[in-house]
């Protein structure tokens, strides 16, 4: 008997009963797949034009203002030839520009191709060429980091006067629900990224279904801390803008500063946050980890969650619903959810039941349904299955199959490659991959792409990449290479070459040179016999140089603790020793607690103890922040002076209001008394 679950079946375990507000059903969006997502946004503009739409670093746009800016941009894009099925590169950091650009492209009828400006030039050039984009929206600060191309390049933060006179209130009529909304690139086993084509009807259907499942009250806010180059953030971006809710767009620096994140979330009372579990675990290093968590709903996605993390969140924020959300990019953001109300110890938390208009099947090798509690491969059907891979018909045919269980002509199944099984209660449990695809910090990685790039290097005869799970539940990419006879490989140079072609999350933290790759008796690679990467980290350390002052000594102790090494010298490189963006969160938080402020940008640019210590800023305690005057009176801290001058909390002030304050901005010592969030606002203003 075929076992399948869809939204018509009971799913009471998917909603928290501990918070009555969460059980309130949001007014349903149209379930018909006859609209485009920007039309759902425009419906909210008409309903509540003055409601806050987007908040970014103290700046806000109402729904009316955001719509007007996007309309002007859309008019200009149509003037330069953007229409239905036209792909437009969107290469920005998280910002107001990102949201305006995204909506402007959709309103013009085009499809956006999200690009991370920190990707290597070669990778960006490939994605632009493969998508056949003829226009790219970006920001002036990234101009030098972008590849040389002949496509039209528009700076959203500098060229706004170019389209200031445009208005395109009729924009988007050239595109229909069956047209592309976006093309998003994922790692490819052939060595090149592949573009997943998602249509408006699939995205609109997901937005409706996930809002229905989350059942948040009207007016509750969303926050996004994800790169636009992955679809994880689409839950928050479109979930907010298509339902009239405020969207908090957190900057990259804020999203990787545990204490800055805690300050922001508490000050703004963010209701809903979707985040990668490993990212959240790093942020919980904050001095007040409970402040990192949203008030109502935490959505975990992008990689498998652990019971250890879930139980910790439950202890820190008992009133916050925890939703486990699963879904490949090829099935439009997400397809399964489960509210994790119970505590757990063994295995992984369930990934739940399908959203509306979605079906999940667990099939054996013969594409026959697997019995309950028997492992099989997870297949997804229904309205969320994407169009396919852009310009890859053979790969599309391999992964997108005719749906033998569908009563609708043309129904398709997406073969996920994930192993899963049904539990007795009908929920689905994720068991791992059936191939060498992995997830690192929420990014999907085909190990074959890394291996192919390594084999392309002169002197490399064989290469294999693996993921190692650390004792602290972190995951680490490690590569092993066999060199051509007579060649001496420089592993540091290999990593540097990979960094010019692959995103940082795909560059192995360690590369070990082996004489031969270990094989089984059958002649296959024996992955279990590959050497321990911890030894690789020790081998990569240069000659040990001890700390020379208290700051270096403090940072060296923190690095050794986070990286689980006996000692770290002042010239050792953080990333070469196994550090990554998640471990950098721990470094930043623990340095802050020891009295030294480091930002994510500083740690990335100053990767040794000696370099980081030179830019670490001593943080004054609250007692030190108020220095006594000659008459015995204390000098109020800068936040207190700002608030006294305006009768408003600092976090509510915009750029113009801050510039108008009668304050001495040259008093640098007072800047040390600011929280990371407040400091970021002031430096952004200055």
């Amino acid at each position: 008997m075929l076992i399948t679950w869809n939204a018509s079946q009971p799913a009471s375990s998917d909603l928290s009963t501990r918070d009555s507000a969460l059980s309130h059903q949001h007014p349903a969006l149209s379930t018909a797949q006859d609209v485009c997502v920007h039309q759902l946004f425009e419906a909210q503009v008409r309903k509540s034009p003055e409601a806050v739409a987007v908040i970014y670093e103290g700046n806000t746009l109402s729904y009316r203002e955001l719509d007007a800016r996007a309309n002007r941009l859309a008019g200009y894009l149509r003037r330069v030839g953007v229409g239905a099925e036209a792909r437009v590169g969107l290469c920005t950091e998280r910002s107001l520009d990102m949201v305006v650009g995204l909506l402007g492209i959709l309103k013009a009828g085009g499809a956006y191709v999200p690009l991370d400006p920190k990707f290597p030039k070669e990778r960006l050039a490939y994605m632009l060429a493969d998508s056949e984009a003829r226009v790219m929206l970006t920001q002036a600060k990234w101009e030098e980091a972008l590849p040389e191309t002949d496509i039209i390049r528009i700076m959203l933060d500098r060229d706004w006067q170019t389209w200031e006179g445009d208005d395109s209130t009729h924009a988007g009529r050239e595109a229909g629900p069956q047209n592309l909304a976006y093309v998003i690139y994922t790692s490819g086993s052939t060595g090149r990224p592949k573009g997943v084509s998602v249509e408006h009807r699939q995205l609109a259907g997901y937005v409706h279904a996930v809002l229905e499942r989350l059942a948040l009250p009207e007016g509750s806010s969303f926050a996004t801390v994800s790169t636009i180059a992955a679809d994880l953030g689409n839950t928050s971006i479109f979930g907010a803008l298509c339902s009239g809710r405020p969207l908090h767009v957190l900057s990259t620096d804020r999203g990787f500063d545990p204490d800055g994140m805690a300050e922001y979330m508490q000050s703004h009372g963010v209701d809903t946050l979707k985040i990668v579990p490993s990212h959240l675990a790093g942020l919980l290093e904050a001095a007040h980890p409970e402040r990192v968590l949203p008030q109502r709903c935490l959505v975990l996605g992008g990689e498998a969650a652990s019971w250890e993390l879930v139980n910790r969140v439950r202890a820190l924020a008992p009133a916050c619903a925890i939703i486990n959300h699963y879904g490949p990019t090829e099935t439009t953001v997400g397809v399964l959810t489960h509210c994790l109300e119970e505590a757990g110890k063994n295995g992984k938390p369930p990934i739940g039941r399908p959203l509306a208009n979605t079906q999940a099947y667990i099939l054996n090798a013969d594409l026959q349904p697997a019995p309950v509690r028997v492992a099989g491969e997870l297949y997804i059907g229904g309205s969320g299955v994407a169009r396919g891979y852009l310009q890859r018909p053979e790969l599309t045919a391999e992964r997108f199959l005719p749906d033998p269980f569908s009563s609708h002509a043309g129904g398709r199944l997406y073969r996920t490659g994930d192993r899963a099984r049904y539990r007795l209660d009908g929920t689905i449990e994720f068991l791992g991959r059936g191939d060498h695809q992995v997830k690192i910090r929420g990014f999907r990685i085909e190990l074959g792409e890394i291996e192919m790039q390594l084999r392309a290097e002169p002197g490399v005869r064989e290469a294999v990449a693996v993921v190692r799970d650390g004792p602290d539940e972190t995951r680490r990419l490690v590569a092993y290479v066999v060199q051509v006879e007579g060649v001496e490989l420089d592993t540091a140079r290999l990593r540097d070459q990979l960094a010019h072609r692959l995103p940082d999350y795909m560059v192995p933290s360690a590369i070990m040179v082996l004489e031969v790759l270990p094989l089984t008796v059958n002649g296959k690679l024996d992955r279990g016999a590959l050497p321990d990467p911890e030894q690789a980290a020790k081998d990569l350390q240069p000659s040990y140089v001890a700390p020379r002052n208290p700051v270096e000594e403090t940072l060296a102790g923190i690095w050794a603790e986070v990286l689980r090494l006996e000692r770290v010298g002042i010239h050792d490189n953080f990333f070469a020793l196994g550090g990554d963006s998640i471990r950098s969160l721990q470094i930043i938080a623990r340095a802050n607690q020891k009295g030294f402020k480091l930002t994510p940008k500083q740690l990335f640019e100053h990767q040794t103890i000696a370099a980081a210590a030179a830019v670490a800023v001593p943080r004054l305690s609250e007692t030190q922040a108020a220095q006594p005057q000659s008459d015995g009176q204390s000098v109020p801290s800068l936040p207190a002076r700002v608030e006294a001058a305006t009768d408003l909390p600092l976090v509510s002030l915009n750029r113009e209001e801050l510039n108008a304050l009668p304050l001495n901005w040259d008093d640098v010592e007072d800047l040390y008394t600011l929280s990371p969030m407040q400091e970021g606002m002031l430096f952004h203003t200055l």
Side-chain angles (χ1 to χ4, degrees), residues 21-22 24-29 40-41 43-45 47-48 51-55 61-63 66 99 207-208 210-223 235-249 271-272 296-297:
L22 280 177
H24 170 71
Q25 287 291 328
H26 181 271
L29 298 171
L40 295 175
F41 164 74
Q44 299 304 320
V45 175
K47 179 182 177 182
S48 305
V52 173
V54 188
I55 305 99
L61 289 176
S62 68
Y63 273 83
L66 177 58
V99 181
V207 171
H208 161 69
V210 77
L211 287 174
E212 183 180 61
R213 184 64 59 87
L214 295 180
L216 296 163
E218 288 195 52
S220 53
S221 58
F222 283 82
T235 303
S236 295
I237 293 172
F238 292 107
L241 298 180
C242 293
S243 65
R245 293 180 164 94
L247 171 66
H248 292 267
V249 179
D271 294 302
T272 308
R296 293 186 177 277
C297 184

Side-chain angles (χ1 to χ4, degrees), residues 395-593:
L395 185 58
T396 298
E398 178 185 333
R399 305 300 296 187
F400 295 82
L401 311 177
D403 186 352
F405 312 114
S406 176
S407 58
H408 302 289
R412 295 177 305 148
L413 290 179
Y414 173 68
R415 182 178 184 177
T416 69
D418 290 331
R419 296 177 60 253
R421 66 182 177 184
Y422 285 108
R423 304 199 314 169
L424 290 177
D425 62 0
T427 58
I428 293 175
E429 180 182 3
F430 173 76
L431 300 176
R433 289 291 300 178
D435 56 19
H436 299 310
Q437 184 187 106
V438 298
K439 284 286 188 79
I440 297 288
R441 309 197 307 267
F443 294 99
R444 192 168 83 186
I445 298 173
E446 296 279 1
L447 294 176
E449 183 174 356
I450 301 171
E451 293 167 354
M452 183 167 290
Q453 294 290 349
L454 279 169
R455 293 190 194 105
E457 287 296 316
V460 175
R461 192 179 73 205
E462 296 179 84
V464 61
V466 300
V467 170
R468 298 281 189 174
D469 293 321
D472 54 355
E473 293 201 352
T474 57
R475 311 197 80 195
R476 182 183 180 195
L477 265 176
V478 180
Y480 302 86
V481 296
V482 176
Q483 58 196 12
V484 173
E485 188 175 352
V487 174
E488 190 72 25
L489 287 176
D490 181 344
T491 56
R493 190 196 68 82
L494 279 179
R495 290 185 76 255
D496 184 62
Q497 290 299 311
L498 289 181
H500 282 85
R501 297 193 296 273
L502 296 174
D504 62 347
Y505 59 83
M506 292 184 69
V507 178
S509 61
I511 300 177
M512 295 187 67
V513 179
L514 304 179
E515 291 186 5
V516 293
L517 295 177
L519 303 177
T520 66
V521 292
N522 296 324
K524 296 183 178 181
L525 176 67
D526 187 355
R527 292 178 180 270
L530 291 168
D532 188 338
E534 293 300 324
Q535 185 60 45
K538 295 176 182 178
D539 293 342
L540 284 170
Q541 294 184 66
S543 300
Y544 175 75
V545 178
R548 301 163 297 185
N549 55 56
V551 180
E552 292 181 348
E553 186 174 352
T554 298
L555 292 181
I558 294 172
W559 285 28
E561 182 180 280
V562 169
L563 297 172
R564 297 179 179 269
L565 297 171
E566 292 182 8
R567 65 182 186 179
V568 177
I570 63 171
H571 299 306
D572 294 353
N573 185 287
F574 175 71
F575 295 97
L577 294 177
D580 54 34
S581 61
I582 300 303
R583 288 183 173 88
S584 73
L585 295 173
Q586 298 173 292
I587 298 292
I588 291 165
R590 296 182 191 189
N592 186 63
Q593 292 158 21

